[in-house]
Amino acid sequence: MAVRAGIVVTGTEVLTGRVQDRNGPWLADRLLELGVDLAHITLCGDRPDDVEAQLRFLAGQGVDLVITSGGLGPTADDLTVATVARFCGRSLVLDEALEQKIADILRTLTARREGVDFDAVMAANRKQAMVPEGAHVLDPVGTAPGVVVPGAPTVLVLPGPPRELQPMWRAAVATEALQQAIAGRTQYEQRTVRMFGLPESGLAETLRSAEREVPGFDRLEITTCLRRGELEIVTRYEPDGADAYSALADYLREHHGSAIFSEDGALVDDLVADRLAGRRIATAESCTAGLLAARLTERPGSSAHVAGGVVAYANAAKTEVLGVDQQLIEAHGAVSEPVAVAMADGALRHFAADTAVAITGIAGPGGGTAEKPVGTVCFCIRLADGRTVTRTLRLPGNRSDIRERSTTVAMHLLLRTLGEAG
């Protein structure tokens, strides 16, 4: 039987939707990489009885590992460790070495603050040094440590902030207690293919055909997902299924080679960043209002190739900042390919760039016409050598969908144009 795990995400702010759960999906991916089957992700508030109920539910499902996130801070409602200790039948004990580590962290954090009563701060944080007897302590990334409590099931307690949880996960996986809990896991290979420009229905039909025609297809565990207008195909298989995956990859190339832009899991953002090496790019955005510039600068080191961007939402901004001819707007409308080209030209000049992207469209819910309905978006990629690519598309969805899909379309047009430019 495969090793199974469950995740308990705690926090009233997550339960009520005020804060989006980022830990559950992230941990699910990490478990998948380890070859551990995820049985459940549950959400609950900060009440100890509710947290314990989730722990008992997962134990009743026969999971080998339970992971909790959240509730490790110094405040009165941070009670996850105490609840886990009670569930595991273990006493809480003061870890003096851990208490000293927390004190050193707090001393550094408060060093530049005047009038801080360090003893009071330390007293409020001392509860974080109380750990279940016999547990393995994971050093804090912030001020809250994590713990691994051996047992049936083994319980891994992690902090809530993703910037603390994610580094601590790596330390947790290296512990003997967690390795013992997942010792019977199946070793899987996992591959990710990404496509753009193919509808989900087209991929579904191809996979139905592949099920009949690809030898060993039944040895592959395939998950498909539509993200940001792209198709993501994740295939997991045991090592002896490698030939079956190779046959599937050939089948996908044969049927949808032009739609495949990544076979190693790389995102279009990564590929665009690579192709922008040695170039300077500028953006001119209307309906996306800076979302493309934000996406281009999301990766560290983007200052090496991003010159800047203009949000030219109003027509006056298009004419005054980017130099778009008012008569051009009157003749073709603000949402038109000629205006998109003029916006890209203005961005090239304004930032002395060699690459420019312009987007102008109608994101809705109002503003559409019979000729240009909501979802009409015009794009232009313009290079300093005069190479120009324009597109006008009708994108589906609500305002948020249209704006996000627009950035994805722009990234793929940019990727293709830069690839052709060499």
Side-chain angles (χ1 to χ4, degrees), residues 376-406:
T376 302
V377 185
C378 300
F379 304 85
C380 177
I381 309 295
R382 185 86 153 161
L383 304 185
D385 63 6
R387 188 187 302 263
T388 304
V389 175
T390 59
R391 292 286 188 281
T392 298
L393 299 176
R394 170 80 185 280
L395 301 177
N398 59 27
R399 180 179 179 84
S400 177
D401 295 332
I402 292 167
R403 283 154 55 95
E404 184 173 57
R405 286 174 184 266
S406 293

Side-chain angles (χ1 to χ4, degrees), residues 265-282:
L267 300 171
V268 65
D269 306 59
D270 302 317
L271 301 175
V272 166
D274 289 344
R275 291 190 180 174
L276 284 171
R279 305 187 74 97
R280 294 288 284 170
I281 186 170

Side-chain angles (χ1 to χ4, degrees), residues 33 49 54 56-57 84 103-104 118 155 203 229 309 317 338 364 367 379 388:
E33 291 170 356
D49 288 347
Q54 305 309 308
R56 294 194 181 284
F57 164 73
V84 167
D104 292 341
F118 181 77
V155 182
L203 176 62
F379 304 85
T388 304

Side-chain angles (χ1 to χ4, degrees), residues 268-313:
V268 65
D269 306 59
D270 302 317
L271 301 175
V272 166
D274 289 344
R275 291 190 180 174
L276 284 171
R279 305 187 74 97
R280 294 288 284 170
I281 186 170
T283 61
E285 301 179 65
S286 183
C287 67
T288 49
L291 293 177
L292 179 62
R295 192 162 169 179
L296 286 168
T297 56
E298 192 172 341
R299 275 155 178 69
S302 57
S303 59
H305 54 258
V306 177
V310 172
V311 175
Y313 215 68

Side-chain angles (χ1 to χ4, degrees), residues 318-334:
K318 294 179 178 68
T319 58
E320 295 171 11
V321 179
L322 293 173
V324 178
D325 191 331
Q326 178 63 34
Q327 292 183 349
L328 196 67
I329 296 176
E330 293 172 357
H332 300 279

